[in-house]
Amino acid sequence: IVASAAQLADAQVPLEQRDFCGHHLLRLLRCQRDNFPVPWGCHALRHAWDSCQHHDYVMRMKEFERERRLRLRQQRLRRRHGDSE
């Protein structure tokens, strides 16, 4: 995690958004605060945060799928070794 817990707490970031993309969110919130009446002024930072969130989601799903396949493989091996003994 690039942003520390203290930085996220000081910026009053909600707990559900304190993740690996917190540093992008801090920059986005700062930009939105500084450019308040202009919503399109922070488009690049919004894109960076959205991309980070998507990449994090994809990596978590890949890890979940890998763990699921390893668990199924382990079950198959246990059944195979249990049958042969």
Side-chain angles (χ1 to χ4, degrees), residues 18-68:
R18 295 182 189 186
D19 55 6
F20 290 106
C21 301
H23 59 287
H24 290 292
L25 183 59
L26 285 177
R27 289 186 206 132
L28 176 62
L29 291 174
R30 187 177 308 123
C31 178
Q32 288 176 343
R33 185 190 67 227
D34 294 344
N35 300 318
F36 171 63
V38 183
W40 57 86
C42 305
H43 179 73
L45 294 174
R46 166 67 91 179
H47 179 70
W49 181 62
D50 285 341
S51 295
C52 182
Q53 290 282 52
H54 177 72
H55 179 70
D56 182 48
Y57 174 78
V58 168
M59 293 307 293
R60 283 187 288 119
M61 290 301 108
K62 285 181 179 180
E63 187 174 332
F64 174 80
E65 183 64 22
R66 178 181 173 275
E67 292 291 328
R68 186 184 74 82

